[in-house]
Amino acid sequence: MVKIRLFCAAGMSTSLLVNKMKEAAGRKGIEVDIEAFPEGQMDKHLDGLDVALLGPQVGYTIGKAKKVCEPKGIPVDVIPMVDYGMMNGEKVLDFALKMVSR
């Protein structure tokens, strides 16, 4: 089971992306636990996390996110704007999975 958390501004469009990522994982036969939360709650949602992704709208917080995630060994990055904008769940899932295998 791969545990992925998306952190964004309010969570509306990101929740849609979470559903598309879950659908893509189902097609690939990959067990995932994916949820979205506001970026300000990141520190409360890191237990057992495999990867953290930031929505492009909060990408400016990557420095702060790295300070919180890296000491715990959690890879963190900003979701590519094009994939986020297109709600491409498969590409964002692949992006997250590559981060886990680094």
Side-chain angles (χ1 to χ4, degrees):
M1 170 89 57
V2 180
K3 189 172 177 180
I4 303 168
R5 294 292 177 263
L6 281 63
F7 298 96
C8 57
M12 297 305 162
S13 54
T14 307
S15 294
L16 179 60
L17 182 58
V18 165
N19 291 333
K20 292 189 176 270
M21 290 173 71
K22 287 179 180 178
E23 290 169 12
R27 287 192 302 273
K28 293 174 181 259
I30 300 169
E31 280 192 55
V32 293
D33 174 2
I34 308 173
E35 291 184 73
F37 296 99
E39 176 273 328
Q41 295 180 9
M42 178 179 279
D43 57 341
K44 297 178 183 143
H45 299 283
L46 297 179
D47 289 342
L49 195 58
D50 292 303
V51 63
L53 297 175
L54 297 176
Q57 69 274 36
V58 294
Y60 66 92
T61 66
I62 189 70
K64 182 176 104 177
K66 285 184 175 187
K67 285 180 186 168
V68 173
C69 293
E70 287 180 350
K72 296 177 182 247
I74 300 168
V76 60
D77 206 343
V78 180
I79 299 168
M81 175 97 57
V82 172
D83 297 333
Y84 187 90
M86 300 293 290
M87 288 288 132
N88 192 328
E90 188 164 351
K91 279 199 173 179
V92 177
L93 177 66
D94 289 344
F95 179 69
L97 295 174
K98 281 182 190 150
M99 291 172 60
V100 172
S101 64
R102 284 185 199 164

